[in-house]
Amino acid sequence: MMRPLLVVLVSVLALGDPVAAQTAEPPAYASLVEALERAVLAGDSAAYLSLASATADRNAAERFARENLYLGVDHATVSPRFLVPIEDLPENTGYELTVEVFSESGTRARLETWRLEIVREGDVGDDGVWRIRDQTHVDSIDNLHHLSLTPTKQYAADNLVVLGEDLSLTLTEGSVFVAETEIGVTGLVLLGTGIMRFTPQPEAERGQVRIFSGDETLEVKFDAAFIRVHPEAFNAHVSTSGLVEQAVEPATLRKASAVFDEFIGLSFTLDLSEISDRLWSLNPGVGNFLAEVRTRRYGTLTYAQFGQQPEDISLQTREGSKVISLYASARKRATEGRYFADDDTVSLDVLHYDVTASFEPLGTSQQSLSATPELLGCRVVGTTRLTVRVKGLPIGAFSLRLADELEVTSVTSSEFGPLLFFRLSGQNSLFVSLPSEVPGGTEFTVSVSYAGDLSAQQLEETWIASRSFLFEATGLFGVGEPRYVYSNRSYWYPQSLVPDYATAMLELTVPPGWGVIASGLPHDTNPPVTRSPEARPRQFSFAVIQPARYLSALISQFEDHPLPRRQVRLRHDVTRPSVPRADGAVFYDTLTIDAQGSQRSIRDIEAITNQTADIASFYASLLGDIPYPTLTVTLTDSRLPGGHSPAYFAVMNHTLPRQPGVMVSWRTDPVSFSSYPSFFLAHEIAHQWWGQAVGWKNYHEQWLSEGLAQYFAALYAERDGGPKVFTDIIRQMRRWAMRHSDEGPVYLGYRLGHLKDESRVFRALVYNKGAMVLHMLRGLVGDDAFFAGLRRFYHQWRFRKAGTDALQLAFEIESGRSLSRFFDRWIHDTALPELQFSSHTETTATGEEIVLRFEQLTERLFDLPVSVDLTYRSGEEETVVVPVTDRVTEVRVPARGRLRRVGVNRDGVALATINR
Ligand SMILES: [Zn+2]
């Protein structure tokens, strides 16, 4: 699903294009702007007042000049941004002009936004003279510094220690240079011989450090380091006793400056290159700390502590962007607990999207043979109108997610008019400034227009090791039908920073002969998705009436087929648990299934439609709900198995015979169940319920989507293929889960296998171990409580984003027992249990009893069901499931005769090593 929020290490702002530059000729008020720029440069209030119109309030103008002009400016730029006619004045006689005023004084600068009412007076020439009638100070960023190392200061290090939480940098010998602002040191460069030590406190994070470095403490030599800190926090991080002032050595200063220049622009920086040729830095917040550590062994390691993030400590490789550690600081762990929601980090709730977009494919299958597959995509031109609500505290600005490749041409609001915006380069982010503070609870709309060439994305789930991704991007080049997927990783429309439920209307246009399948109920007036003879572009409409976490579109050329739509009806005897609901969404008892495919896959379309109907009917009866009223299943061409299942549709790769030279090893993948080929389809269809209808609140919780989809697919396989198929699937899941469990807890989500680029580890644990945990839970609490718990969880969290805590609670309510240790061990811990098993027969007053004894050998106790198969000499067989929940568990079974054989965990349900 979507990439999780990573700590923002680099914040480079790029200004949007000035609106006033849209006309080639200099605007009539250009001389006013020039005069304003001179007044700002001179800090001259009188000069400002001379620009006031005859009708201006002179007291207000004087007050504004006093507060906003100052002496000592040595460079000033006034940039017009918006021009809006004043409605009650005759045409071209008055405007509201928004300007950005940038002024430098030595190594300090400020960036301000002013809104001016300008009116035309007199009749000098044809244009008259433009004057300021009124003015408002909208916003300012005033702590900008142009930083450099202080050339007169050098320190000799004598076991200098720089500390961050769980981190120490010791410079045993070498030199230290500082970068200062007027309130103290904000930057440090360390040169010489140093040792970095990093030992994260959370156990799971130590496990990741061990995978990365071979040891739970990452200890590595460094020869240079760059530190940023708030001046007031300097003493808390740096042992100043380890600094001895010395004479400056020019050659060493030059080396230190080179280190400084390499890193200063990478964080806490505003890119104002359009208006200044110098680099401008912001002060880190008091709770922020950053260290770039140059090592020979790992390249540069970036340690950061950013108080604003839920997981505020991170360690990453600078060059490979590998996340080694990401966790909450001790203070946050103590005050905020283990569970958090991505939602807590955003200030806006998006309620509804109106997306109008056109897609023009950029490459045909012929051209793409020579092109880089990753670059294939479409020209996307769109306008999206978002209806949003301010969540809590008042806001003066907000951010949206939008692909960097899409150039934004305007941002406007029905309520606030045109809005200032910035792109955060390299972050797929759009920063929008509001004209004034907007209180919590306010609803408003914002429309964003954009255009650009945007790569299509891979299918979300590629059932294959990552090295083969290259061939997957847009289908089978030169052989299959090209297809372009824009979904959760594309940021093809401006959207909430985190995936969030919203309704939507989509109007999507494609060239003649192309079709679109997208999130939402297809509109009755849509053209047929398949090729049609018309020569005009074709427009398709979709209504997302039941909320979706993100919006998706699939563009391809689909083959005509005669199959009608299929309908699946929810059984009438299904009852829904009565749980509080906040979603406002409705319930459907019918699902309409449509299927589309490429030319090569069309012969399979009938079988796929029938199977999809059967699968969906099974899931609907298990959960008592159909979340989305339509489902379009689509087959596209590819060499590799894979799929993706956004709300309202699913796309499956229709795999073709192997091509020479393509390495495919998917038979050795944790999720390739060769005994049941429909497993992929069953997994993808399950995502309509798990992952789409019920979401997950941050990257740790992805197992709720994948583990449940995987388990539902296994349940369907059992119903469709019988118990033998089910047992084979469980055994394979167990094998992969056991093999990779030591790579970390299920709760690490996408980070499992990330450091080694081994996506099989991710699938082995998040998919298979997740499903096995559910199956073991079922064995412990019994079928009734298990399926009631699933239904409770589903209905309570429909169209919301859940966490493991919510799942646990639902099962606790239905089973009447505490499950915190169960989820702690199986989801949050890495280790697996080791058990000692023995059995013997005892003769008692009432007859012979078989005693089954389990002892847990691992220090931490687990809860798990273990099956014991008893085979009697008579040939009779009996299976006993023992709930192992104590250090020693003993179960007595009345013997039905003389025992021939005792088997333990033959069904492979228990994820444990069992000695006997
Ligand atoms: Zn999945």
Side-chain angles (χ1 to χ4, degrees), residues 461 683 687 706 767:
E461 300 190 276
H683 176 101
H687 274 315
E706 299 303 347
Y767 287 56

PDB file of all heavy atoms in Angstrom, residues 461 683 687 706 767, ligand 1:
ATOM      1  N   GLU A 461       1.064  -5.259  -5.526  1.00  0.00           N
ATOM      2  CA  GLU A 461       1.588  -6.523  -5.030  1.00  0.00           C
ATOM      3  C   GLU A 461       2.194  -7.316  -6.167  1.00  0.00           C
ATOM      4  O   GLU A 461       1.503  -7.733  -7.080  1.00  0.00           O
ATOM      5  CB  GLU A 461       0.480  -7.324  -4.366  1.00  0.00           C
ATOM      6  CG  GLU A 461      -0.089  -6.538  -3.218  1.00  0.00           C
ATOM      7  CD  GLU A 461      -1.013  -7.354  -2.357  1.00  0.00           C
ATOM      8  OE1 GLU A 461      -2.189  -7.475  -2.699  1.00  0.00           O
ATOM      9  OE2 GLU A 461      -0.536  -7.874  -1.344  1.00  0.00           O
ATOM     10  N   HIS A 683      -6.818 -13.558  -2.693  1.00  0.00           N
ATOM     11  CA  HIS A 683      -6.157 -12.567  -1.840  1.00  0.00           C
ATOM     12  C   HIS A 683      -6.549 -11.149  -2.272  1.00  0.00           C
ATOM     13  O   HIS A 683      -6.912 -10.307  -1.445  1.00  0.00           O
ATOM     14  CB  HIS A 683      -4.635 -12.759  -1.927  1.00  0.00           C
ATOM     15  CG  HIS A 683      -3.848 -11.726  -1.172  1.00  0.00           C
ATOM     16  ND1 HIS A 683      -3.290 -11.959   0.066  1.00  0.00           N
ATOM     17  CD2 HIS A 683      -3.531 -10.443  -1.478  1.00  0.00           C
ATOM     18  CE1 HIS A 683      -2.666 -10.872   0.492  1.00  0.00           C
ATOM     19  NE2 HIS A 683      -2.793  -9.935  -0.434  1.00  0.00           N
ATOM     20  N   HIS A 687      -9.001  -7.919  -0.362  1.00  0.00           N
ATOM     21  CA  HIS A 687      -8.614  -6.539  -0.030  1.00  0.00           C
ATOM     22  C   HIS A 687      -9.781  -5.558  -0.129  1.00  0.00           C
ATOM     23  O   HIS A 687      -9.712  -4.466   0.436  1.00  0.00           O
ATOM     24  CB  HIS A 687      -7.482  -6.072  -0.945  1.00  0.00           C
ATOM     25  CG  HIS A 687      -6.124  -6.452  -0.442  1.00  0.00           C
ATOM     26  ND1 HIS A 687      -5.738  -6.299   0.874  1.00  0.00           N
ATOM     27  CD2 HIS A 687      -5.044  -6.973  -1.085  1.00  0.00           C
ATOM     28  CE1 HIS A 687      -4.486  -6.713   1.018  1.00  0.00           C
ATOM     29  NE2 HIS A 687      -4.038  -7.138  -0.146  1.00  0.00           N
ATOM     30  N   GLU A 706      -2.774  -7.250   5.045  1.00  0.00           N
ATOM     31  CA  GLU A 706      -2.197  -8.390   4.318  1.00  0.00           C
ATOM     32  C   GLU A 706      -2.433  -9.719   5.030  1.00  0.00           C
ATOM     33  O   GLU A 706      -2.708 -10.731   4.389  1.00  0.00           O
ATOM     34  CB  GLU A 706      -0.705  -8.174   4.087  1.00  0.00           C
ATOM     35  CG  GLU A 706      -0.375  -6.944   3.252  1.00  0.00           C
ATOM     36  CD  GLU A 706      -1.034  -6.938   1.879  1.00  0.00           C
ATOM     37  OE1 GLU A 706      -1.560  -7.996   1.462  1.00  0.00           O
ATOM     38  OE2 GLU A 706      -1.041  -5.876   1.239  1.00  0.00           O
ATOM     39  N   TYR A 767       2.594 -11.114   5.529  1.00  0.00           N
ATOM     40  CA  TYR A 767       1.511 -11.895   4.937  1.00  0.00           C
ATOM     41  C   TYR A 767       1.320 -13.221   5.683  1.00  0.00           C
ATOM     42  O   TYR A 767       0.256 -13.514   6.199  1.00  0.00           O
ATOM     43  CB  TYR A 767       1.823 -12.216   3.465  1.00  0.00           C
ATOM     44  CG  TYR A 767       1.720 -11.065   2.493  1.00  0.00           C
ATOM     45  CD1 TYR A 767       2.451  -9.905   2.674  1.00  0.00           C
ATOM     46  CD2 TYR A 767       0.911 -11.146   1.365  1.00  0.00           C
ATOM     47  CE1 TYR A 767       2.377  -8.860   1.761  1.00  0.00           C
ATOM     48  CE2 TYR A 767       0.829 -10.109   0.445  1.00  0.00           C
ATOM     49  CZ  TYR A 767       1.567  -8.973   0.641  1.00  0.00           C
ATOM     50  OH  TYR A 767       1.497  -7.952  -0.255  1.00  0.00           O
TER      51      TYR A 767
HETATM   52 ZN    ZN B   1      -2.291  -7.978  -0.398  1.00  0.00          ZN
END
